[in-house]
PDB file of all heavy atoms in Angstrom:
ATOM      1  N   ASP Z 165     161.209  86.659 101.458  1.00 76.00           N
ATOM      2  CA  ASP Z 165     161.257  88.028 100.955  1.00 76.00           C
ATOM      3  C   ASP Z 165     160.684  88.128  99.543  1.00 76.00           C
ATOM      4  O   ASP Z 165     161.244  88.814  98.679  1.00 76.00           O
ATOM      5  CB  ASP Z 165     162.696  88.558 100.980  1.00 76.00           C
ATOM      6  CG  ASP Z 165     163.649  87.679 100.165  1.00 76.00           C
ATOM      7  OD1 ASP Z 165     163.237  86.564  99.783  1.00 76.00           O
ATOM      8  OD2 ASP Z 165     164.778  88.123  99.908  1.00 76.00           O
ATOM      9  N   ALA Z 166     159.563  87.465  99.303  1.00 71.00           N
ATOM     10  CA  ALA Z 166     158.971  87.450  97.964  1.00 71.00           C
ATOM     11  C   ALA Z 166     158.494  88.829  97.532  1.00 71.00           C
ATOM     12  O   ALA Z 166     158.340  89.094  96.345  1.00 71.00           O
ATOM     13  CB  ALA Z 166     157.812  86.451  97.922  1.00 71.00           C
ATOM     14  N   GLY Z 167     158.240  89.717  98.485  1.00 70.00           N
ATOM     15  CA  GLY Z 167     157.899  91.104  98.187  1.00 70.00           C
ATOM     16  C   GLY Z 167     156.685  91.255  97.298  1.00 70.00           C
ATOM     17  O   GLY Z 167     155.576  90.840  97.641  1.00 70.00           O
ATOM     18  N   GLN Z 168     156.898  91.835  96.095  1.00 71.00           N
ATOM     19  CA  GLN Z 168     155.797  92.137  95.189  1.00 71.00           C
ATOM     20  C   GLN Z 168     155.349  90.928  94.388  1.00 71.00           C
ATOM     21  O   GLN Z 168     154.491  91.050  93.521  1.00 71.00           O
ATOM     22  CB  GLN Z 168     156.206  93.270  94.250  1.00 71.00           C
ATOM     23  CG  GLN Z 168     156.454  94.580  94.985  1.00 71.00           C
ATOM     24  CD  GLN Z 168     156.949  95.679  94.070  1.00 71.00           C
ATOM     25  OE1 GLN Z 168     157.626  95.426  93.089  1.00 71.00           O
ATOM     26  NE2 GLN Z 168     156.613  96.907  94.395  1.00 71.00           N
ATOM     27  N   SER Z 169     155.913  89.764  94.668  1.00 83.00           N
ATOM     28  CA  SER Z 169     155.555  88.563  93.918  1.00 83.00           C
ATOM     29  C   SER Z 169     154.443  87.753  94.572  1.00 83.00           C
ATOM     30  O   SER Z 169     154.283  86.574  94.271  1.00 83.00           O
ATOM     31  CB  SER Z 169     156.795  87.676  93.712  1.00 83.00           C
ATOM     32  OG  SER Z 169     157.671  88.273  92.792  1.00 83.00           O
ATOM     33  N   PHE Z 170     153.726  88.363  95.473  1.00 88.00           N
ATOM     34  CA  PHE Z 170     152.520  87.705  95.969  1.00 88.00           C
ATOM     35  C   PHE Z 170     151.487  88.761  96.328  1.00 88.00           C
ATOM     36  O   PHE Z 170     151.802  89.931  96.551  1.00 88.00           O
ATOM     37  CB  PHE Z 170     152.817  86.807  97.172  1.00 88.00           C
ATOM     38  CG  PHE Z 170     152.872  87.533  98.498  1.00 88.00           C
ATOM     39  CD1 PHE Z 170     151.775  87.553  99.340  1.00 88.00           C
ATOM     40  CD2 PHE Z 170     154.027  88.203  98.887  1.00 88.00           C
ATOM     41  CE1 PHE Z 170     151.822  88.209 100.555  1.00 88.00           C
ATOM     42  CE2 PHE Z 170     154.087  88.861 100.094  1.00 88.00           C
ATOM     43  CZ  PHE Z 170     152.983  88.870 100.937  1.00 88.00           C
ATOM     44  N   ASN Z 171     150.229  88.320  96.357  1.00 91.00           N
ATOM     45  CA  ASN Z 171     149.143  89.238  96.674  1.00 91.00           C
ATOM     46  C   ASN Z 171     147.982  88.456  97.260  1.00 91.00           C
ATOM     47  O   ASN Z 171     147.787  87.286  96.932  1.00 91.00           O
ATOM     48  CB  ASN Z 171     148.712  89.994  95.418  1.00 91.00           C
ATOM     49  CG  ASN Z 171     147.873  91.220  95.737  1.00 91.00           C
ATOM     50  OD1 ASN Z 171     146.800  91.399  95.199  1.00 91.00           O
ATOM     51  ND2 ASN Z 171     148.371  92.082  96.601  1.00 91.00           N
ATOM     52  N   LEU Z 172     147.221  89.107  98.129  1.00 92.00           N
ATOM     53  CA  LEU Z 172     146.117  88.466  98.833  1.00 92.00           C
ATOM     54  C   LEU Z 172     144.806  89.188  98.536  1.00 92.00           C
ATOM     55  O   LEU Z 172     144.794  90.394  98.285  1.00 92.00           O
ATOM     56  CB  LEU Z 172     146.364  88.488 100.343  1.00 92.00           C
ATOM     57  CG  LEU Z 172     147.671  87.906 100.850  1.00 92.00           C
ATOM     58  CD1 LEU Z 172     147.825  88.158 102.344  1.00 92.00           C
ATOM     59  CD2 LEU Z 172     147.760  86.416 100.551  1.00 92.00           C
ATOM     60  N   SER Z 173     143.727  88.438  98.603  1.00 90.00           N
ATOM     61  CA  SER Z 173     142.400  89.029  98.463  1.00 90.00           C
ATOM     62  C   SER Z 173     141.395  88.115  99.149  1.00 90.00           C
ATOM     63  O   SER Z 173     141.651  86.923  99.344  1.00 90.00           O
ATOM     64  CB  SER Z 173     142.039  89.200  96.979  1.00 90.00           C
ATOM     65  OG  SER Z 173     140.778  89.828  96.833  1.00 90.00           O
ATOM     66  N   HIS Z 174     140.265  88.674  99.528  1.00 88.00           N
ATOM     67  CA  HIS Z 174     139.184  87.845 100.073  1.00 88.00           C
ATOM     68  C   HIS Z 174     137.847  88.530  99.841  1.00 88.00           C
ATOM     69  O   HIS Z 174     137.757  89.750  99.734  1.00 88.00           O
ATOM     70  CB  HIS Z 174     139.390  87.554 101.565  1.00 88.00           C
ATOM     71  CG  HIS Z 174     139.549  88.775 102.421  1.00 88.00           C
ATOM     72  ND1 HIS Z 174     138.503  89.609 102.742  1.00 88.00           N
ATOM     73  CD2 HIS Z 174     140.651  89.295 103.020  1.00 88.00           C
ATOM     74  CE1 HIS Z 174     138.934  90.586 103.516  1.00 88.00           C
ATOM     75  NE2 HIS Z 174     140.244  90.432 103.696  1.00 88.00           N
ATOM     76  N   SER Z 175     136.837  87.721  99.731  1.00 87.00           N
ATOM     77  CA  SER Z 175     135.474  88.227  99.549  1.00 87.00           C
ATOM     78  C   SER Z 175     134.500  87.146  99.968  1.00 87.00           C
ATOM     79  O   SER Z 175     134.592  86.012  99.497  1.00 87.00           O
ATOM     80  CB  SER Z 175     135.233  88.604  98.085  1.00 87.00           C
ATOM     81  OG  SER Z 175     133.906  89.061  97.888  1.00 87.00           O
ATOM     82  N   GLY Z 176     133.602  87.505 100.854  1.00 81.00           N
ATOM     83  CA  GLY Z 176     132.584  86.547 101.283  1.00 81.00           C
ATOM     84  C   GLY Z 176     133.199  85.270 101.816  1.00 81.00           C
ATOM     85  O   GLY Z 176     133.944  85.275 102.787  1.00 81.00           O
ATOM     86  N   LYS Z 177     132.927  84.164 101.157  1.00 76.00           N
ATOM     87  CA  LYS Z 177     133.369  82.853 101.629  1.00 76.00           C
ATOM     88  C   LYS Z 177     134.701  82.423 101.029  1.00 76.00           C
ATOM     89  O   LYS Z 177     135.096  81.268 101.167  1.00 76.00           O
ATOM     90  CB  LYS Z 177     132.302  81.802 101.296  1.00 76.00           C
ATOM     91  CG  LYS Z 177     131.984  81.692  99.815  1.00 76.00           C
ATOM     92  CD  LYS Z 177     130.773  80.797  99.583  1.00 76.00           C
ATOM     93  CE  LYS Z 177     130.403  80.761  98.105  1.00 76.00           C
ATOM     94  NZ  LYS Z 177     129.204  79.912  97.877  1.00 76.00           N
ATOM     95  N   TYR Z 178     135.420  83.341 100.372  1.00 80.00           N
ATOM     96  CA  TYR Z 178     136.669  82.977  99.723  1.00 80.00           C
ATOM     97  C   TYR Z 178     137.861  83.763 100.262  1.00 80.00           C
ATOM     98  O   TYR Z 178     137.747  84.946 100.595  1.00 80.00           O
ATOM     99  CB  TYR Z 178     136.595  83.234  98.219  1.00 80.00           C
ATOM    100  CG  TYR Z 178     135.614  82.362  97.490  1.00 80.00           C
ATOM    101  CD1 TYR Z 178     134.368  82.852  97.111  1.00 80.00           C
ATOM    102  CD2 TYR Z 178     135.922  81.043  97.180  1.00 80.00           C
ATOM    103  CE1 TYR Z 178     133.458  82.049  96.436  1.00 80.00           C
ATOM    104  CE2 TYR Z 178     135.019  80.237  96.500  1.00 80.00           C
ATOM    105  CZ  TYR Z 178     133.785  80.752  96.138  1.00 80.00           C
ATOM    106  OH  TYR Z 178     132.890  79.956  95.476  1.00 80.00           O
ATOM    107  N   VAL Z 179     138.998  83.078 100.324  1.00 81.00           N
ATOM    108  CA  VAL Z 179     140.300  83.708 100.550  1.00 81.00           C
ATOM    109  C   VAL Z 179     141.163  83.365  99.342  1.00 81.00           C
ATOM    110  O   VAL Z 179     141.158  82.234  98.872  1.00 81.00           O
ATOM    111  CB  VAL Z 179     140.957  83.198 101.847  1.00 81.00           C
ATOM    112  CG1 VAL Z 179     142.398  83.645 101.921  1.00 81.00           C
ATOM    113  CG2 VAL Z 179     140.194  83.696 103.059  1.00 81.00           C
TER     114      VAL Z 179
END
Side-chain angles (χ1 to χ4, degrees):
D165 58 348
Q168 295 176 329
S169 289
F170 83 98
N171 196 232
L172 306 173
S173 183
H174 55 74
S175 178
K177 59 189 176 181
Y178 294 102
V179 169

